[in-house]
Amino acid sequence: PHFRGTYSYQTIASRQFGESPEVILSKPLTASNGKQTLLFAGEATHPVYYSVGHGAIESGFREADRIINMYKQ
């Protein structure tokens, strides 16, 4: 009832940061010890499919792989 459908998209202003918005949004936050503590997924973090559902799914798989690789070390 609040949104009635939304989607993400890149604007010209969002491309002026040097890095693409999805790269900035998908960077994990790290603790003071250097460990990644907060990971981000969702359609807005996907480099190609940033406005559709399968972009959200693929970014979830990306972050799941990141978690798996963190625990392999």
Side-chain angles (χ1 to χ4, degrees):
H2 300 289
F3 302 105
R4 298 184 184 163
T6 63
Y7 62 95
S8 60
Y9 61 95
Q10 295 181 9
T11 65
I12 293 172
S14 69
R15 294 181 184 199
Q16 295 175 353
F17 291 107
E19 286 186 291
S20 58
E22 70 276 353
V23 170
I24 294 169
L25 292 173
S26 66
K27 285 185 179 179
L29 296 181
T30 56
S32 58
N33 62 4
K35 284 192 166 194
Q36 297 173 344
T37 57
L38 184 60
L39 308 175
F40 298 96
E43 65 183 35
T45 69
H46 196 282
V48 178
Y49 304 117
Y50 47 81
S51 63
V52 291
H54 61 279
I57 293 168
E58 288 182 13
S59 69
F61 289 143
R62 178 194 66 221
E63 297 308 317
D65 287 339
R66 193 184 311 243
I67 291 169
I68 290 167
N69 290 327
M70 278 193 303
Y71 284 100
K72 282 184 178 178
Q73 298 175 0

